[in-house]
Amino acid sequence: MDPLSAAASSYSSVNLAADYSMAVARMAMDDAQELAMQELERMLPPSPYTFDVYA
C-alpha cells in the first residue's frame, strides 16, 4: 500500500506544481495584455466625440 500512496502524493504534488505554473503564466499574459492595451490606447488619436457613446 505504501508505493500506491507514495505514487498518489507524488502525482498530486506534480499536479499542484503544474497548476501553479499555469496560474503564474496566465497572470503574466494578463499583465502583458493589459500593458499592450495601454500602449495602443496611448498611440490612438483622441476621440472626436465629446459625449459618452455608450449611454
Side-chain angles (χ1 to χ4, degrees):
M1 198 63 153
D2 285 329
L4 184 60
S5 65
S9 69
S10 171
Y11 179 75
S12 66
S13 66
V14 167
N15 278 347
L16 179 63
D19 290 345
Y20 180 77
S21 175
M22 286 297 293
V24 169
R26 283 188 189 129
M27 287 173 37
M29 287 189 291
D30 287 345
D31 289 346
Q33 183 179 11
E34 180 66 29
L35 288 173
M37 285 301 297
Q38 288 175 2
E39 283 295 312
L40 283 173
E41 288 174 355
R42 190 177 62 81
M43 292 186 320
L44 288 174
S47 174
Y49 302 108
T50 57
F51 57 92
D52 188 6
V53 294
Y54 296 106

